[in-house]
């Protein structure tokens, strides 16, 4: 049982796997032809320089329409080159058509194809089968295997081909504790959670779940972990957790069972704990519709990160491992970024100024040695200063004056202050006066509908007519999709929807109740006061990521460990206030209120149930003592809690979960939230995918 | 306690010992019979049967030779202990006993000669003495004896092991490599009459004339030479380095320098078989195992030994009565070596009594070793091995540790399975803790069961297999699919399917179902797995096997709620279109059209069709709404066309807003009103549009008129803002006064913003706001002295 995850190892393992495969294919120079959607991921795994140094790859080409030209060019310059294709069909299932075209056109034979898959085989498990082969009792399966999905597609073309699996693990890109699996969008950039072709949703969801399960299984086996407590909220999440359990159990060897039995047996319980919390986007469709206010979130909203965490317009390196400034700033409220940058600049200046004070040769040497890192730091600082001033310009300038207006409006909607009439006027204003982006207006309309738990029939009609009148008839179908997904509904239409399919998880309550029960729009007097003093520590509530709103997901996760909010705002009948294990007991009522079905939340234990309470309590006491005693010591006993998001996570949610982690540890519950999501999302992405 | 060393014999510095391992009543009543020995069983030909016995003398199986219809020249066991029958034209390998399966490897028809002799994969022809090698299921010519280069008189005149063949010609000794068939003259001009080769390549030649033995590995260096007193019955290697000869009731082992030791037996010795670490001596009543005593064992049990092992054993024996002395002894020797010796010796013993004593001693010694300095796994492994070996012995398989190592657990199990000893196999698996092998045993059992019980019906068999399965409870290594295949070959289709469903490995389960042509079931099962890529690959495979309509039927029946295949085919719009049309999914069909329209950027043309599709759906509010919207759109198009005709401007692809704006721009008030009425345009919307349009086209007078014409439903703030954002500050100022609900400060700010200082000053003057006035004063640019003067004036009046 592994208690410490070094997530940085995962990217190294991925890169090493790729290099090994490339080296294995041939000794000749290679041209690596990469599927465009995989390129950003490849880039963030290793640089081109690293690739050429450790593998025979000399050139990289993209698997697109231009491939033919590139190929003839590359082949012309170096005749003895092998072509290696790198594809990822985990979500698309279908090979890129360009690959088949190129193979036919250039008559490539043999065809070397590296395909991505989630890491599934591990030394521990493969040993058994090797043993078996040695003993000769696997003789039966030497017969041709059932062709896998790539083989069955390749069999249509006559070329000889070799397939090499590339075992991947999700790896950190934004932060050590955030692992993205990049399975939210397929090759054609279709959102798998909200697919464009709505009738296919069932299929894309199952692919999404399958990928997430395989990804989680890979992580769990790679790190040799044992999940103890599982909570899933949402129907898809439940499916995911059941499937994960099934697949883990299938791979379980006697040895594993033995280890589990010993660690969590009847008499002994080591007290080790690892939680798995699975959430899906539908349990909180509201958060992504809000404007993000953290530094990284704003960048994502304005410029949009791609899967390699690069923004499209600027060539900025967001490598959190090297760029400590980015690492410090990314989850801060943009308001605090400026002062922070200022502080950093001053620090840098003083460090530079040290040279004047340097008198002895030794001191000068010290300074010169540190010069490299200082210069790098300076470069990063410069980068972020320009970037944030760009952001500031966008946010403040007249042309985009709508930014503040929209934030204001969001908060009003969330607080439930606005009447239907006002909102409509404001939306007209936004459309005509501010000429705000269509997506933003749609986002607001959806937000309104969600917060009001569907609109009045007349408003619904009016808004729809308005949208079609101003933007054209094709929006009619986007609205239809939004309605089906529950983003934009009318009171009558909603009940209608309900009878069609009861399956998807939907919010069923007006936001004012939610905000009241879960205190998602906390009123903080200290908020204003705190800002002037220490910026970083001051937010008592996680309201910094969105304008004064705590994301619902964050509150739901918090609820599993800490019931103080429910105690104050919902019902004083709570089974506990603080718990080290995530517990859902007595939340059924609340969940039923919110989603109309109390069964969408589910708790289970994946290790033998024992009389753990006593030990649990004693551990808790220890923890609390250590917190009281010394603040630093409490880090030692962190439990890992995997928070899985299906359908994407916003940067704001990541930031607030980090905040929650700090808050919980102050209360004596030491968790390390590792966020695993299939991709990043925000309002624009959702609106883009539903069109 | 009897010291086991009492019946040891010493040959030079090595002890040999003889241990009885099994009882066997040799069929002495028959005059003439042939037999063959293997490591674990004995085959005897009696009358018309070849019978197989284990070392307990239990009959395991038999073959009726009358059914073979050919004369058996010889029979022997191969390395895997498969019985091989040699006839004139072929060799027959007994692959399995029940049902009896015999695989024949015949000579090629072109060879007219017959088989003379066969041994260990090497066959010699009768006439030519050509040498053939068995490779796979074919004969491969190894050496062609041209011009009768050598001549072999009896079958004793040649021998082979895995690497070489020794041929004793009348005059010379030849060696043929089994690898490449190269003939080598080993010794010239020397004649011998019998040869045996040890597994390590030592060659022993015997000359009957001089009654002489010679042992060598390399003919230039003779290792040993012996003159024998009488003619031996049999010559055989004991282990791989000592030669043994049997004479009636004694066996002699020969060492260098003319040394030899003799073992006497109470019965006549009938047969010898050399094993890798000893010699099996078969007498008429009993079977003995003659082997070298391991140095560890001899160190311990030798009389007067002071080796660590012996000391440890002494110490352990003293422990009970003289504990202090026992401890004292412990200090005087290398304890770890003692422990290791005791463990090794224990493994080498056959008798549980000695095993126990030695292991106890080892365990006792081990406890006194320094913590962690000794790898306890050695001890545990030894215990396990001993347990297993004892268990094998109780089943009639006598193995030494070394033999077991070379054979592996799987080998033992295979041998037992060959004679349907399932129960014993399961015992062994459980003892060895090998769950994976248990699955193997089960698989084998189930296959045999299906093959042999032709009188049971499918359900009965399935139930039997299931009930056994529930007892075993390990599914991992059971190859249900291979059992299912057996059932299929037996013509039991239903059983085959049911068995395939029990398979744990999903991929092979689905493959088997697919191969059984049970497509629907395969599909259903694959959906249960929830692995989309597996399902899709199955579907792709099915799409190749089935016709399009069959596949569609399958999809409709089994996957109506799971559009995985459609997702896979998503780029093929025509397929989606067909599919949805066949399944009457009108809305989905419409969506496909919609996408197609978007891709071709020609949505307009698709809309009527989409509308038709939508209107086919009944009783759905939302769909109804969309149809209404589409109808409205059509109305708009019609109207736009009429407008186009009227004004000669194209209105195609314009939204309602754009149309309105265009009309406002061109000042067609009548049409504007008409549109508003016809399409029920929201008044506010109209105001915004008109306001914006008028500003954009700089029709300020009209704007003012419009503003005054009626109280604006959107207030006058938008008027102001439209003007201001487009830089018409002067015009904007005139609307500040009209905006209602503004505070003084706000209003003042607006005035200042649009540089209408005079108004601002007036306002401030009214409010008697000196500070405000000062502010305004400061905001006034230098080129407007008038305004400044007015500000001063106002200030002074206050």
């Amino acid at each position: 049982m592994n208690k410490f995850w070094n997530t940085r190892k995962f990217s190294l393992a991925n890169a090493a796997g790729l290099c090994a495969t490339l080296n294995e294919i041939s000794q000749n120079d290679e041209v690596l032809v990469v599927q465009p959607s995989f390129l950003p991921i490849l880039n963030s795994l290793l640089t081109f320089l690293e690739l050429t140094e450790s593998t025979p790859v000399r050139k990289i080409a993209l698997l697109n329409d231009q491939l033919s030209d590139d190929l003839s060019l590359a082949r012309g310059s170096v005749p003895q080159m092998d072509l290696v294709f790198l594809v990822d069909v985990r979500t698309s299932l279908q090979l890129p058509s360009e690959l088949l075209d190129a193979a036919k056109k250039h008559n490539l034979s043999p065809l070397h194809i590296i395909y991505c898959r989630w890491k599934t085989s591990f030394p521990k498990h493969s040993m058994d089968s090797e043993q078996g082969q040695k003993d000769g009792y696997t003789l039966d399966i030497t017969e041709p295997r059932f062709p896998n999905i790539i083989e069955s597609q390749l069999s249509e073309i006559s070329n000889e081909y070799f397939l090499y699996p590339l075992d991947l693990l999700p790896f950190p890109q934004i932060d050590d504790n955030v692992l993205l699996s990049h399975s939210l969008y397929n090759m054609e950039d279709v959102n798998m959670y909200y697919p464009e072709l709505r009738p296919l949703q069932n299929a894309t969801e199952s692919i999404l779940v399958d990928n997430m399960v395989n990804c989680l299984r890979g992580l769990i086996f790679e790190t040799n972990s044992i999940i103890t407590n599982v909570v899933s909220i949402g129907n898809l999440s439940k499916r995911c957790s059941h499937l994960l359990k099934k697949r883990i159990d299938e791979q379980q060897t006697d040895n594993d069972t033995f280890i589990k039995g010993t660690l969590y047996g009847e008499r002994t319980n080591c007290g080790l704990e690892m939680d798995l919390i699975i959430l899906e986007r539908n349990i909180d469709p509201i958060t992504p519709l809000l404007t993000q206010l953290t530094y990284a979130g704003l960048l994502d909203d304005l410029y949009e990160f791609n899967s390699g965490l690069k923004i499209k317009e600027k060539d900025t390196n967001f490598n959190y491992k090297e760029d400590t400034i980015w690492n410090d700033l990314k989850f801060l409220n943009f308001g605090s970024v400026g002062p922070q940058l200022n502080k950093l600049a001053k620090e840098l200046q003083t460090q530079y100024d040290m040279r004047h004070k340097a008198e002895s040769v030794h001191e000068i040497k010290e300074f010169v040695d540190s010069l490299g890192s200082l210069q790098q730091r300076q470069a990063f600082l410069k980068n972020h200063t320009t970037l944030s001033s760009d952001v500031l310009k966008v946010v403040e300038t007249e042309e985009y004056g709508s930014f503040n207006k929209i934030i204001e409006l969001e908060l009003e909607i969330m607080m439930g202050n606005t009447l239907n009439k006002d909102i409509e006027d404001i939306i007209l204003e936004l459309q005509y006066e501010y000429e705000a982006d269509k997506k933003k207006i749609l986002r607001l309309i959806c937000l309104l509908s969600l917060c009001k738990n569907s609109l009045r029939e007349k408003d619904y009609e009016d808004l729809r007519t308005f949208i079609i009148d101003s933007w054209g008839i094709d929006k009619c179908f986007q609205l239809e999709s939004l309605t089906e997904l529950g983003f934009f509904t009318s009171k009558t239409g909603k009940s209608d929807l309900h009878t069609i399919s009861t399956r998807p998880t939907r919010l069923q309550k007006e936001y004012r109740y939610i905000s009241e029960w879960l205190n998602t729009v906390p009123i903080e007097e200290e908020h204003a006061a705190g800002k002037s003093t220490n910026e970083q520590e001051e937010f008592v509530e996680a309201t910094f990521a969105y304008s004064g709103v705590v994301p619902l997901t964050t509150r739901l996760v918090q609820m599993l460990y800490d019931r103080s909010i429910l105690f104050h705002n919902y019902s004083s009948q709570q089974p506990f206030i603080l718990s080290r294990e995530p517990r859902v007991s007595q939340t059924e009522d609340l969940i039923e209120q919110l989603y109309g079905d109390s069964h969408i939340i589910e708790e289970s234990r994946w290790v033998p149930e024992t009389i753990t309470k006593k030990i649990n309590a004693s551990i808790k006491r220890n923890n609390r003592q250590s917190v009281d005693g010394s603040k630093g010591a409490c880090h030692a006993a962190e439990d890992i809690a995997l928070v899985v998001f299906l359908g994407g996570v916003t940067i704001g949610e990541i930031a607030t979960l980090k905040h929650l982690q700090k808050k919980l540890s102050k209360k004596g519950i030491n968790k390390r939230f590792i966020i695993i999501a299939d991709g990043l999302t925000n309002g624009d992405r959702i609106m883009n995918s539903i069109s | 306690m009897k010291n086991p060393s009492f019946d040891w014999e010493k040959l030079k510095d090595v002890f040999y010992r003889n241990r009885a391992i099994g009882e066997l009543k040799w069929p002495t009543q028959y005059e003439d019979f042939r037999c063959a020995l293997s490591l674990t069983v004995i085959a005897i030909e009696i009358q018309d049967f070849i019978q197989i016995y284990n070392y307990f003398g239990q009959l395991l199986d038999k073959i009726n030779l009358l059914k073979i219809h050919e004369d058996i020249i010889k029979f022997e066991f191969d390395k895997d202990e498969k019985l091989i029958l040699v006839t004139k034209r072929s060799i027959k390998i007994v692959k399995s006993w029940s049902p009896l399966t015999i695989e024949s490897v015949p000579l090629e028809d072109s060879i007219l000669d017959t088989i003379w002799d066969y041994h260990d994969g090497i066959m010699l022809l009768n006439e030519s003495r050509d040498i053939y090698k068995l490779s796979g299921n074919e004969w491969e010519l190894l050496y062609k004896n041209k011009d009768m280069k050598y001549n072999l008189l009896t079958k004793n005149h040649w021998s082979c092991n895995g690497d070489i063949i020794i041929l004793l010609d009348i005059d010379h000794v030849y060696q043929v490599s089994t690898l490449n068939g190269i003939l080598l003259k080993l010794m010239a001009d020397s004649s011998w009459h019998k040869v045996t080769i040890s597994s390590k390549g030592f060659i022993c030649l015997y000359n009957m004339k001089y009654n002489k033995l010679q042992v060598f590995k390399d003919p230039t260096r003779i290792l040993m030479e012996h003159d024998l007193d009488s003619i031996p019955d049999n010559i055989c290697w004991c282990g791989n380095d000592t030669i043994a000869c049997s004479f009636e009731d004694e066996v002699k082992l020969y060492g260098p320098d003319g040394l030899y030791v003799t073992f006497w037996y109470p019965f006549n010795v009938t047969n010898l078989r050399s094993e890798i670490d000893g010699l099996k001596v078969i007498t008429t009543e009993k079977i003995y195992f003659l082997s070298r005593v391991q140095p560890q064992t001899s160190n311990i049990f030798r009389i007067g030994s002071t080796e660590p092992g012996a000391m440890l054993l002494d110490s352990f024996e003293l422990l009970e009565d003289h504990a202090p002395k026992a401890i004292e002894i412990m200090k005087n020797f290398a304890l770890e070596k003692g422990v290791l010796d005791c463990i090794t010796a224990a493994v080498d013993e056959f008798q549980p009594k000695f095993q126990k004593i030695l292991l106890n001693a080892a365990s006792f010694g081990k406890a006194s070793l320094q913590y962690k300095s000794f790898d306890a796994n050695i001890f545990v492994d030894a215990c396990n091995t001993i347990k297993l070996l004892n268990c094998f012995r109780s089943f009639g398989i006598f193995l030494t540790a070394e033999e077991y190592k070379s054979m592996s657990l799987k080998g033992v199990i295979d041998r037992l399975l060959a004679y349907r000893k399932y129960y014993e196999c399961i015992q062994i698996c459980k003892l060895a803790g090998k769950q994976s092998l248990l699955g193997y045993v089960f698989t084998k059992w189930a296959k045999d069961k299906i093959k042999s019980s032709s009188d049971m019906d499918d359900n009965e068999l399935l139930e039997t297999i299931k009930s056994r399965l529930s007892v075993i409870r390990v599914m991992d290594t059971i190859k249900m699919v291979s059992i299912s295949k057996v059932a299929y070959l037996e013509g039991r289709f239903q059983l085959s399917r049911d068995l395939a469903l029990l398979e744990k490995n999903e991929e092979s389960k689905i493959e088997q179902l697919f191969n059984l042509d049970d497509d629907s079931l395969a599909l259903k099962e694959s959906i249960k797995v929830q692995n989309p890529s597996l399902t899709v690959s199955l579907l792709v495979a099915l799409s190749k096997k089935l016709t399009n309509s069959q596949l569609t039927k399958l999809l409709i029946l089994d996957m109506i709620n799971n559009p995985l295949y459609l997702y896979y085919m998503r780029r093929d719009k025509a397929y989606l279109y067909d599919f949805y049309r066949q399944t009457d999914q009108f809305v989905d069909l419409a969506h496909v059209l919609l996408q197609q329209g978007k891709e071709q950027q020609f949505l307009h043309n698709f809309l009527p069709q989409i509308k038709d599709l939508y209107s086919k759906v009944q009783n759905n509010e939302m769909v109804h709404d969309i149809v209404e919207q589409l109808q409205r759109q059509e109305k708009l198009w019609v109207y736009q066309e009429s407008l186009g005709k009227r004004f000669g401007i194209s209105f195609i692809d314009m939204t309602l807003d754009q149309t309105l704006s265009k009309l406002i721009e061109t000042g067609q008030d009548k049409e504007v009103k008409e549109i508003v009425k016809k399409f029920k345009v929201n008044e506010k919307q109209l105001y915004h549009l008109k306001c914006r349009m008028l500003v954009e086209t700089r029709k300020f007078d009209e704007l003012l008129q419009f503003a005054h014409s009626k109280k604006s439903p959107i207030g006058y703030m938008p008027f102001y803002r439209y003007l201001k954002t487009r830089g018409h500050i002067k015009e904007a100022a005139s609307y500040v006064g009209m905006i209602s609900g503004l505070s003084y400060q706000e209003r003042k700010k607006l005035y200042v913003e649009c540089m209408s200082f005079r108004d601002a000053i007036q306002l401030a003057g009214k409010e008697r706001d000196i500070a405000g006035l000062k502010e305004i004063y400061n905001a006034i640019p230098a080129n407007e002295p008038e305004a400044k003067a007015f500000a001063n004036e106002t200030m002074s009046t206050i």
Side-chain angles (χ1 to χ4, degrees), chain B residues 716-717 720 732-757 759-764 766-767 776:
Chain B
Y716 293 95
M717 193 66 180
Y720 167 81
S734 50
Y735 292 93
V736 176
M738 294 162 80
I739 302 170
S740 59
L742 281 181
S743 69
Y744 152 68
Q745 289 291 351
E746 281 167 333
R747 202 178 294 269
K748 187 184 75 188
K749 193 168 146 249
L750 290 184
Y751 275 130
V752 175
E753 261 177 19
C754 59
M755 317 268 278
S756 174
F757 300 111
D759 293 328
I761 293 162
Q762 266 176 359
L763 191 69
K766 249 185 238 165
E767 293 285 326
I776 297 166

Side-chain angles (χ1 to χ4, degrees), chain A residues 91-97 135-137 140-141 143-149 152-153 155-156 186-188 192 196-197 199-200 202-204 206-207 210 239 243 246-247 250 252 254 421 424-425 428-429 431-435 460-461 464-466 468-474 476-477 480 483-484 496 500 691, chain B residues 410 435-437 440 447 476-477 479 482 485 504 506-507 511 514 528-534 536-538 540-541 544 561-564 566-571 576 580 587-588 591-592 594-595 598 603 607 610 614 620-622 625-626 629-630 632-633 655-657 682 684-685 688-689 692 718 721-722 726:
Chain A
T91 49
S92 308
L93 297 184
Q94 222 177 9
L95 281 178
S97 52
D135 291 357
Y137 52 77
D140 293 324
I141 48 166
E143 295 161 37
R145 227 162 28 84
F146 201 63
N148 81 10
I149 189 145
S152 46
Q153 290 175 56
S155 61
E156 282 162 30
N186 75 1
M187 210 156 59
E188 292 110 24
M192 304 292 276
E196 205 175 350
L197 236 111
L200 301 183
N202 233 325
T204 55
S206 67
I207 294 168
D210 178 59
R239 208 167 121 193
L243 192 60
K246 186 175 150 227
R247 293 210 178 143
E250 270 168 17
Q252 200 124 62
D254 295 336
K421 219 64 217 159
E424 223 170 293
D425 288 349
L428 280 177
E429 261 176 49
Q431 155 74 0
Y432 294 116
E433 288 179 42
Y434 293 96
E435 289 174 21
Y460 175 79
E461 295 274 324
R464 198 175 58 183
T465 320
F466 154 73
I468 293 171
D469 281 356
S470 3
W471 300 334
I473 186 70
D474 49 332
C476 164
F477 302 101
E480 183 197 4
T483 310
E484 273 179 24
D496 206 37
I500 299 168
S691 62
Chain B
K410 170 93 180 347
Q435 294 289 325
S436 51
L437 271 174
Y440 174 74
K447 283 183 187 172
D476 298 1
T477 49
K479 297 264 171 301
S482 65
K485 277 179 190 155
K504 193 158 178 264
E506 269 119 6
E507 211 167 303
E511 187 190 356
F514 176 78
K528 267 191 217 158
V529 179
Q530 301 193 43
N531 179 348
S533 72
L534 179 65
V536 169
S537 39
L538 173 70
V540 173
K544 283 169 194 161
N561 286 320
N562 192 344
L564 211 51
L566 300 174
Y567 174 74
Y568 173 74
M569 297 294 282
R570 64 192 177 278
R571 277 186 230 147
L576 293 184
Y580 286 134
V587 174
D588 298 342
H591 279 265
V592 176
L594 191 67
Q595 272 219 329
K598 272 187 209 161
L603 192 59
L607 281 178
I610 292 174
Y614 268 100
N620 186 329
E621 187 96 8
M622 194 165 61
D625 281 354
I626 287 167
Q629 291 292 342
L630 289 171
R632 183 161 177 266
Q633 182 68 23
T655 63
L656 189 70
D657 274 13
N682 187 331
K684 288 180 187 172
Q685 203 173 334
H688 271 289
L689 276 173
R692 189 172 69 176
R721 251 188 250 141
Y722 282 126
R726 283 163 184 75

Side-chain angles (χ1 to χ4, degrees), chain A residues 287-518:
Chain A
T287 306
L289 298 179
L290 298 172
T291 310
Q292 308 196 57
L293 295 181
T294 54
Y295 182 40
L298 257 176
L299 288 177
D300 192 31
D301 274 359
L302 293 176
Y303 306 110
E304 201 157 298
F305 292 118
N306 67 6
S307 48
L309 210 74
K310 270 197 171 166
I311 49 182
K312 277 162 197 163
E313 289 163 43
K314 317 214 181 252
D315 188 32
T316 321
N317 188 12
F318 291 110
N319 188 337
Y320 77 97
K321 286 172 211 163
E322 288 164 17
D323 188 348
T324 50
I325 297 178
W326 165 242
N327 206 12
D328 290 344
L329 294 181
K330 59 194 174 190
F331 293 142
L332 289 187
N333 184 296
F334 189 68
S336 341
V337 169
Q340 196 67 24
L341 279 172
N342 189 9
K343 207 175 99 196
L344 287 169
K346 274 182 189 151
E347 272 173 25
L348 199 63
Q349 187 59 42
T350 49
Q351 273 171 316
Y352 267 118
D353 286 344
M354 290 289 275
R355 73 176 186 278
H356 299 300
K357 288 178 197 146
E359 282 172 0
S360 67
V361 177
H362 180 70
E363 280 170 343
I364 293 173
K365 184 178 177 297
E366 240 174 33
F367 173 75
V368 173
D369 285 347
S370 66
L371 205 55
S373 71
L374 282 182
Q375 275 169 343
Q376 197 195 16
R377 213 174 148 73
Q378 189 186 11
F380 285 134
L381 191 60
K382 195 178 151 215
N383 239 334
H384 288 293
T385 320
T386 24
L387 196 62
S388 50
S389 70
D390 283 355
V391 172
L392 204 63
K393 220 183 281 164
V394 173
V395 171
E396 283 187 343
T397 45
E398 197 65 26
E399 188 186 351
Y400 289 83
S402 53
F403 186 85
N404 286 325
K405 184 94 188 163
I406 288 173
I407 290 185
E408 248 170 57
L409 199 57
E410 277 172 9
L411 191 62
E412 296 229 319
I413 295 174
M414 301 299 280
M415 309 256 281
N417 287 347
T418 42
L419 298 166
N420 290 332
K421 219 64 217 159
D422 298 342
I423 291 291
E424 223 170 293
D425 288 349
I426 294 167
I427 282 168
L428 280 177
E429 261 176 49
L430 280 173
Q431 155 74 0
Y432 294 116
E433 288 179 42
Y434 293 96
E435 289 174 21
D437 195 28
K438 285 175 198 171
K439 272 178 243 156
K440 288 193 178 131
I441 295 176
L442 260 182
R443 233 171 64 189
L444 282 173
I445 292 175
C446 292
L447 190 66
L448 185 66
S449 159
L450 280 169
C451 288
K452 297 247 177 237
N453 186 26
S454 71
L455 302 164
R456 284 183 313 175
E457 191 64 26
K458 187 177 171 302
D459 296 328
Y460 175 79
E461 295 274 324
D462 284 353
L463 279 172
R464 198 175 58 183
T465 320
F466 154 73
I467 288 169
I468 293 171
D469 281 356
S470 3
W471 300 334
I473 186 70
D474 49 332
K475 289 287 167 213
C476 164
F477 302 101
Q478 181 173 9
L479 290 179
E480 183 197 4
S481 296
L482 286 172
T483 310
E484 273 179 24
L485 291 170
F487 278 106
F488 176 61
T489 49
S490 69
K491 295 266 191 232
T492 49
K494 180 143 181 164
S495 56
D496 206 37
L497 260 181
H498 215 61
T499 52
I500 299 168
S501 56
T502 44
R503 193 185 52 83
T505 309
R506 295 279 155 75
L507 269 180
Q508 305 279 354
K509 208 72 184 168
E510 279 181 48
Y511 192 76
R512 59 191 172 96
Y513 295 109
I514 299 172
S515 73
E516 188 190 325
W517 293 334
L518 288 167

Side-chain angles (χ1 to χ4, degrees), chain B residues 175-358:
Chain B
Q175 174 187 327
V176 178
S177 155
T178 55
L179 258 180
N180 44 25
I182 289 170
L183 183 90
L184 205 80
K185 191 182 273 182
L186 212 56
M187 292 160 94
D189 300 324
S190 68
S191 97
W192 301 89
H193 303 103
K194 194 175 166 105
V195 57
T196 51
I197 314 170
S198 89
S199 56
K200 268 200 179 156
F202 290 108
I203 299 161
C204 174
L205 301 177
Y206 169 70
N207 186 314
M208 221 181 279
K209 211 158 136 199
Y210 307 108
N211 212 2
K212 198 170 85 176
L213 273 180
Q214 202 176 64
V215 174
F216 59 88
K217 195 164 193 178
D218 174 5
T220 54
R221 214 175 129 244
I222 306 296
L223 294 171
M224 199 175 84
E225 224 171 20
H226 261 285
D227 290 322
L228 302 183
D229 308 330
S230 52
I231 298 168
D233 296 339
N234 211 336
I235 303 171
C236 211
W237 284 96
C238 170
N240 46 36
D241 49 3
T242 315
I243 192 75
C245 298
S246 67
F247 308 90
E248 267 181 59
D249 60 350
E250 60 182 45
V251 171
K252 283 183 177 163
L253 297 178
Y254 296 94
D257 308 329
L259 290 172
Y260 67 87
V261 289
T262 313
F263 286 87
W264 282 275
Y265 292 92
F267 318 103
N268 268 355
V269 175
T270 57
N271 242 318
L272 297 178
R273 175 183 154 86
S274 68
E275 303 292 355
I276 49 168
D277 60 344
L279 178 74
K280 286 227 174 86
V281 181
I282 322 273
T283 69
T284 49
E285 298 281 325
K286 270 190 172 174
I287 300 170
Y288 296 90
F289 185 67
L290 184 58
S291 67
R292 156 202 284 258
V293 178
Q294 296 295 318
Q296 290 90 344
T297 313
S298 69
N299 281 345
I300 292 170
F301 288 120
R302 210 174 52 216
I303 307 294
S305 167
T306 54
E307 294 290 327
M311 299 291 280
L312 179 62
L313 195 62
D314 275 353
S315 163
F316 174 66
E317 276 160 8
L318 280 171
L319 186 64
E320 209 160 284
D321 303 330
H322 307 282
K325 202 174 171 193
I327 303 297
E328 195 57 34
I329 294 176
M330 294 261 284
K331 292 174 183 164
N332 298 329
F333 59 92
L335 188 55
E336 186 166 354
K337 181 163 189 316
V339 173
L340 286 172
D341 280 2
C342 278
I343 293 173
T344 321
V347 175
D348 201 43
E349 281 312 312
F350 284 0
Q351 288 185 34
K353 191 176 81 186
F354 289 119
Q355 291 166 351
K356 235 182 229 170
I357 290 169
L358 288 165

